[in-house]
Amino acid sequence: MGLQVQPQKIQITVEQGNGEWWGWINGIKTFLPTSVADTIPELINNLRELLKDWQRHEAKEDPVWSKVNFDQVEFETVEYKEEDYE
């Protein structure tokens, strides 16, 4: 079996609207984690907890994602740009 590299940093795309922050994580083939919160730190925490729940259930057999310690992963936010999704 080849070397499996765990992510050290996960990028969250964020967009602000109506006084709330929306965020999502691209790049997981079978799952699109999405959340909303009043602040960026709250949004990051929501997504971290969502990922941990997904890991305990749907991803528990995944050779890479099942081994990620989401409490140690750094989350980086980037602003949503419509042209990036065209």
Side-chain angles (χ1 to χ4, degrees), residues 13-42:
T13 304
V14 297
E15 179 178 22
Q16 188 175 31
N18 298 326
E20 297 178 311
W21 286 97
W22 291 83
W24 59 93
I25 298 169
N26 293 313
I28 301 175
K29 293 179 184 178
T30 60
F31 184 47
L32 180 64
T34 306
S35 189
V36 63
D38 293 330
T39 66
I40 294 286
E42 182 183 2

